[in-house]
Amino acid sequence: MSAVMITRKVRKWEKLPGKNTFCCDGRVMMARQKGVFYLTLFLIVGTCSLFFAFECPYLAVHLSPSVPVFAIVLFFFVIAMLLRTSFSDPGVLPRALPEEATFIEMEIEAANGNVPAGQRPPPRIRNVQINNQIVKLKYCYTCKIFRPPRASHCSICDNCVDRFDHHCPWVGNCVGKRNYRYFYMFTLSLSLLTIYIFTFDIVHVVMRSVDKGFLNTLKETPGTVLEVLVCFFTLWSVVGLTGFHTYLISLNQTTNED
């Protein structure tokens, strides 16, 4: 009996020349530098765990059971948006195949002609008409393609990304056309969660201080002090970032364009 050789088809993500890592058969896509992403995850989970352990039991009894319920719902939504942003394709544009790259190079050389020695060649730009307007497409020397409008090459991931906004180390991925909505929902929900925890930390301290005094309350709930510090320093950056992206959305701009 002759052995039958079965060759496995190589998936597209397995031969992607960029600097990304893949898991779950290519369904999870991230940048190789993921250290700050783990810090983001640790800060969110750690702060919320302290809130659920120290404040929620007291507030559920003395204020309303809806306080921890809403916090849990908001927490899971933040985590879901974070993972959706971090693990999804931001809009990577495929590079030109060797045959396509050779053809494009021949076209460029034929259009530019011979460049005298010592002179810089003209920029590689292709003019296309979109909605009766002439748009200049820039050439990417790495991907060997003329990038679409609003696309840019990420030097960290080494890929051209459609409607590139920025590379965010806090989510461990680029932010582009395909995951920008999740990134914005993540920053918006994280701002609400931070404000929510910070507010009820203060409410918790005030309510317990009425009976036991301020210093005794802090001694009994040491996690509250840590939560207040983390939320206070996080609040300005996260809320500011959300406001900045709300401003960009109103102008239909990206961070890269701004």
Side-chain angles (χ1 to χ4, degrees):
M1 181 182 294
S2 59
V4 179
M5 300 296 295
I6 301 177
T7 58
R8 187 178 67 89
K9 184 180 178 181
V10 179
R11 310 292 289 272
K12 291 182 179 180
W13 62 269
E14 293 179 307
K15 54 184 179 180
L16 185 70
K19 298 178 181 179
N20 297 93
T21 55
F22 295 88
C23 301
C24 302
D25 197 23
R27 294 178 178 85
V28 173
M29 176 181 183
M30 293 186 68
R32 292 185 181 178
Q33 301 175 1
K34 300 182 287 291
V36 184
F37 162 75
Y38 295 130
L39 175 61
T40 304
L41 196 61
F42 172 77
L43 289 174
I44 297 174
V45 174
T47 304
C48 291
S49 298
L50 291 175
F51 180 72
F52 295 142
F54 287 97
E55 280 75 38
C56 284
Y58 182 88
L59 294 174
V61 175
H62 294 83
L63 191 59
S64 173
S66 62
V67 174
V69 173
F70 186 76
I72 292 174
V73 173
L74 196 56
F75 166 75
F76 279 110
F77 185 81
V78 170
I79 295 298
M81 290 299 100
L82 172 61
L83 298 181
R84 192 69 175 85
T85 305
S86 303
F87 295 161
S88 61
D89 176 13
V92 175
L93 297 172
R95 300 190 183 192
L97 298 175
E99 301 82 10
E100 296 173 337
T102 302
F103 180 76
I104 294 175
E105 293 285 343
M106 292 174 58
E107 277 189 329
I108 295 174
E109 292 178 0
N112 294 339
N114 295 324
V115 180
Q119 294 186 10
R120 296 182 59 184
R124 296 185 171 186
I125 295 176
R126 175 180 290 176
N127 294 327
V128 296
Q129 186 173 356
I130 301 177
N131 295 331
N132 297 324
Q133 292 185 352
I134 301 299
V135 179
K136 294 182 178 181
L137 304 183
K138 296 182 179 180
Y139 181 77
C140 178
Y141 287 87
T142 302
C143 300
K144 305 295 182 182
I145 60 172
F146 285 95
R147 291 193 295 261
R150 314 188 77 176
S152 186
H153 191 89
C154 176
S155 59
I156 299 176
C157 295
D158 198 26
N159 286 312
C160 279
V161 179
D162 194 7
R163 195 169 180 177
F164 176 76
D165 190 88
H166 69 291
H167 182 91
C168 183
W170 294 99
V171 301
N173 200 358
C174 287
V175 178
K177 181 179 180 179
R178 296 176 188 168
N179 65 350
Y180 182 81
R181 70 190 73 176
Y182 305 114
F183 172 77
Y184 179 73
M185 292 304 297
F186 165 66
T187 58
L188 180 61
S189 58
L190 182 60
S191 299
L192 295 177
L193 180 62
T194 305
I195 295 173
Y196 189 86
I197 292 178
F198 183 77
T199 301
F200 280 101
D201 280 342
I202 302 300
V203 172
H204 173 247
V205 171
V206 171
M207 291 180 64
R208 298 192 66 159
S209 297
V210 174
D211 298 330
K212 300 183 179 181
F214 180 73
L215 294 179
N216 290 330
T217 300
L218 295 183
K219 291 179 181 179
E220 294 179 359
T221 57
T224 304
V225 180
L226 182 59
E227 292 173 52
V228 170
L229 292 176
V230 173
C231 290
F232 178 80
F233 289 105
T234 304
L235 191 62
W236 305 104
S237 58
V238 174
V239 174
L241 182 64
T242 304
F244 174 68
H245 280 278
T246 303
Y247 166 77
L248 292 179
I249 290 174
S250 65
L251 298 179
N252 192 24
Q253 287 186 346
T254 65
T255 303
N256 187 52
E257 292 169 345
D258 181 77

